[in-house]
Amino acid sequence: MAGHEHHHHHHLSLCFCDLMRLLWSLVVPCVYLSLLLTLLLLLLLLGLRMWLQGQRKARRTQDGGPAVAFFHPYCNAGGGGERVLWCSLRTLMRRYPDVSFVVYTGDQGVTGEQILDGARRRFNITLPRPVTFIFLRHRVLVEASSYPHFTLLGQSAGSMFLGWEALTSFVPDLYVDSMGYAFTLPIFRYLGGCKVASYVHYPTVSTDMLSVVRERNLRFNNADFISRNPVLSAVKVMYYCCFALLYGLAGSCSDVIMVNSTWTLGHILALWRSPNRTSVVYPPCDVRAFLDVPLEEEDEEDVDEGWEEVGQELGGGEEERGGGGGGVDRKCYSIVSVGQFRPEKDHRLQIKAFRTLLDRKGEGPGGRESLRLVLIGGCRNQEDEDRVLMLRGLCQELGVADRVDFKLNVPFEELKRELVDATIGLHTMWNEHFGIGVVECMAAGTIVLAHKSGGPKLDIVVPYEGGQTGFLADSEDSYATAMETILALSPAARLEIRRNARRSVERFSDQEFEASFQAATESLMSRLER
């Protein structure tokens, strides 16, 4: 019996030894193969780097000077990010006359002259000298609609391919990501051998996103079936954590990091971990364009007369209304929202809060017919245009279509007129990274009502010299209540808030941006000119 057991153990040990030999015979070739493939990959990357640097040297020999390239696939859009792009170019062009400038854009069916003309009309910005446009053919790779699942990962991978297309089309000396595609930074730095800088409007992933997924909340494409399933929610948290790690590694490649607000600064410091290279550069807001509007005119002498004039101007426009017909009431309080028609701007909340306000005001004098909501914004693509159609449908459903106007892609002068005429400037985006529209409302003398989070809460709608500069809210009811409060204020009280707000936004002017942007990029630009 003992002999049998001994034989059995001996047989097991032989089987174990044979198994280990088999595994070893498989592992060793795999290790050698991995080392060989790694070496080949390194040689390939080294060869690509030498080829790209050769292209840059040839280009510098031909052009006779350094080049700075901005990566902005949606440069023909009309949002705050595009205003940052054009002001950045204008600032550097004035300071460095011997440097040439390039913009990588994914816009198709438009010429460079048309893009520049759009910047002039929308933002009142004219560049002092020409800029070269590189038109990229594969912008669809960064469209969210291309990735119904794993959207962040898909867009980031797509941005790397789009970045490669940009790099092989033109190799700059300094690469500036001005739209938040951090995964392009290592491509330009390590393959192109470029200096790299970034201006971050909004972190691609943030601790707020992680908390939303952990709490199983319906935000950030957190589908209903994921929110209800603790296992899938845990998997998504792991996915976000891994993505945040990769995002931080990519972002830390930047030689200079500029962020647009205190809120963005906190997230970027936590993710990119490069405090010595990171600074806040508030985005440029065209506040001076509104300073010629005297605040004292509103409600100072004759309230009814002032609002009669506003009603006449609003009623005289030819723009399409959100729904039914009918003229504008001669005594009309205008509530204006400025922001691109993107889902995170939460125009649905604006419309619902406005409906609540109308219900509270009733049909009498100074009620429903004295109020109008004007939604002003840009549409980047068909998806945004479809969103506008859905918002129009919501207005019809809630019975407020006759009191809501939609004004799309309006020129700067019309935007200015609407803001000057408005009583309330409305903003509803949760954790807005900054809020250029909020600043413009304050500069125009509009009493702003913004979301109680992000940039508006931390940087913009804050007390100035001890005085109130606006209002904050975070729900349909609190927005309606705040609008009621603003409309019920005396003319003198409203005027005091408007004056405080206008004085406070000087720190967000074009001139302040130019000084801050120039200071942040000075170290890189001075090295380019050597």
Side-chain angles (χ1 to χ4, degrees):
M1 189 72 175
H4 178 71
E5 289 181 0
H6 176 73
H7 176 74
H8 180 66
H9 286 302
H10 179 68
H11 180 69
L12 287 176
S13 64
L14 287 175
C15 289
F16 180 76
C17 290
D18 290 341
L19 180 61
M20 292 301 296
R21 289 192 192 96
L22 176 62
L23 291 174
W24 183 253
S25 65
L26 293 174
V27 167
V28 171
C30 288
V31 170
Y32 284 133
L33 182 60
S34 299
L35 290 174
L36 179 61
L37 291 175
T38 302
L39 180 61
L40 290 174
L41 179 61
L42 289 174
L43 290 173
L44 175 63
L45 295 177
L46 183 61
L48 287 173
R49 180 184 170 93
M50 293 176 64
W51 171 63
L52 290 168
Q53 287 185 331
Q55 281 194 326
R56 183 173 72 245
K57 288 178 182 177
R59 189 260 307 157
R60 285 202 65 162
T61 301
Q62 180 179 351
D63 296 346
V68 176
F70 284 77
F71 187 76
H72 209 102
Y74 294 91
C75 78
N76 200 35
E82 287 67 57
R83 194 169 205 286
V84 169
L85 168 68
W86 303 121
C87 283
S88 301
L89 282 165
R90 184 175 63 184
T91 300
L92 295 181
M93 282 182 175
R94 288 172 175 170
R95 175 68 176 81
Y96 303 99
D98 297 327
V99 177
S100 58
F101 293 89
V102 169
V103 174
Y104 300 115
T105 178
D107 295 298
Q108 297 292 322
V110 65
T111 65
E113 290 76 14
Q114 290 171 324
I115 292 175
L116 293 174
D117 183 61
R120 180 187 56 79
R121 287 186 296 103
R122 293 169 182 164
F123 305 119
N124 200 27
I125 294 174
T126 302
L127 298 183
R129 51 197 173 90
V131 60
T132 302
F133 289 93
I134 303 294
F135 292 92
L136 307 176
R137 300 186 305 275
H138 301 101
R139 190 175 71 179
V140 67
L141 293 173
V142 297
E143 296 276 0
S145 57
S146 300
Y147 310 98
H149 305 291
F150 299 100
T151 308
L152 290 179
L153 187 61
Q155 285 183 288
S156 298
S159 72
M160 295 176 73
F161 285 103
L162 195 63
W164 175 251
E165 180 187 349
L167 180 59
T168 52
S169 300
F170 184 90
V171 186
D173 298 279
L174 170 61
Y175 168 78
V176 183
D177 167 37
S178 55
M179 206 173 171
Y181 292 107
F183 286 87
T184 63
L185 297 171
I187 293 175
F188 277 83
R189 176 167 182 169
Y190 297 116
L191 289 183
C194 311
K195 296 295 183 182
V196 294
S198 55
Y199 188 95
V200 184
H201 299 273
Y202 196 86
T204 304
V205 65
S206 67
T207 53
D208 293 319
M209 293 184 186
L210 292 173
S211 65
V212 164
V213 179
R214 285 195 186 99
E215 294 164 7
R216 291 150 70 181
N217 200 327
L218 287 172
R219 271 202 187 118
F220 296 108
N221 298 324
N222 203 19
D224 189 42
F225 71 93
I226 293 179
S227 302
R228 293 177 179 177
N229 190 312
V231 175
L232 291 179
S233 292
V235 170
K236 189 159 188 178
V237 169
M238 291 178 60
Y239 160 62
Y240 269 75
C241 288
C242 292
F243 182 85
L245 177 63
L246 294 174
Y247 177 64
L249 291 172
S252 64
C253 295
S254 190
D255 295 300
V256 168
I257 304 164
M258 294 166 281
V259 298
N260 67 340
S261 70
T262 303
W263 182 86
T264 307
L265 175 67
H267 288 286
I268 291 300
L269 289 180
L271 294 166
W272 292 16
R273 301 181 183 277
S274 304
N276 296 333
R277 288 174 276 153
T278 307
S279 59
V280 176
V281 178
Y282 288 127
C285 307
D286 197 8
V287 297
R288 294 195 180 276
F290 301 99
L291 296 184
D292 59 341
V293 181
L295 297 184
E296 287 74 16
E297 287 186 2
E298 184 202 1
D299 296 322
E300 283 284 277
E301 298 177 7
D302 190 338
V303 179
D304 289 350
E305 182 182 344
W307 286 113
E308 182 177 327
E309 292 174 357
V310 171
Q312 287 173 343
E313 182 164 358
L314 284 173
E318 297 179 358
E319 292 82 359
E320 181 183 2
R321 301 207 182 283
V328 180
D329 195 299
R330 289 170 64 85
K331 188 196 296 183
C332 181
Y333 291 91
S334 175
I335 301 168
V336 172
S337 162
V338 179
Q340 286 184 321
F341 287 98
R342 306 201 308 261
E344 61 269 25
K345 295 297 183 180
D346 207 352
H347 289 89
R348 292 177 61 86
L349 175 57
Q350 296 178 4
I351 295 169
K352 290 180 178 179
F354 182 65
R355 193 275 302 267
T356 301
L357 175 66
L358 293 183
D359 290 345
R360 293 181 183 179
K361 299 292 282 185
E363 299 289 344
R368 176 189 179 93
E369 294 303 312
S370 69
L371 300 173
R372 179 162 296 281
L373 175 63
V374 183
L375 303 179
I376 302 174
C379 285
R380 303 163 299 172
N381 49 36
Q382 186 61 46
E383 189 178 350
D384 287 354
E385 292 175 9
D386 293 341
R387 190 170 295 110
V388 171
L389 289 177
M390 288 189 286
L391 291 172
R392 290 181 188 273
L394 178 64
C395 291
Q396 294 282 359
E397 179 185 331
L398 298 180
V400 298
D402 62 319
R403 310 310 305 163
V404 179
D405 286 346
F406 287 83
K407 302 200 173 187
L408 313 181
N409 303 318
V410 301
F412 176 77
E413 285 305 317
E414 184 176 353
L415 169 65
K416 177 181 176 179
R417 186 175 67 249
E418 290 290 349
L419 288 181
V420 169
D421 290 343
T423 305
I424 299 173
L426 192 58
H427 165 276
T428 48
M429 179 176 171
W430 175 73
N431 270 346
E432 170 79 85
H433 37 99
F434 180 72
I436 288 180
V438 176
V439 173
E440 290 176 338
C441 287
M442 294 167 75
T446 303
I447 295 183
V448 74
L449 171 55
H451 199 283
K452 195 176 181 179
S453 64
K457 178 183 178 182
L458 297 175
D459 291 314
I460 304 174
V461 191
V462 296
Y464 177 75
E465 296 181 354
Q468 185 177 1
T469 58
F471 293 78
L472 298 170
D474 57 8
S475 66
E476 180 181 329
D477 184 69
S478 61
Y479 270 101
T481 300
M483 285 189 279
E484 269 192 306
T485 301
I486 295 169
L487 295 173
L489 288 173
S490 68
R494 274 208 294 266
L495 182 60
E496 181 64 26
I497 295 174
R498 294 164 65 218
R499 283 174 173 165
N500 291 335
R502 174 174 281 186
R503 288 197 298 265
S504 74
V505 298
E506 277 292 333
R507 58 208 166 102
F508 306 127
S509 66
D510 285 4
Q511 291 72 23
E512 289 292 328
F513 170 81
E514 289 177 4
S516 300
F517 188 86
Q518 189 172 302
T521 56
E522 181 73 32
S523 59
L524 290 181
M525 294 299 298
S526 60
R527 276 184 271 173
L528 293 186
E529 291 194 305
R530 291 175 186 173

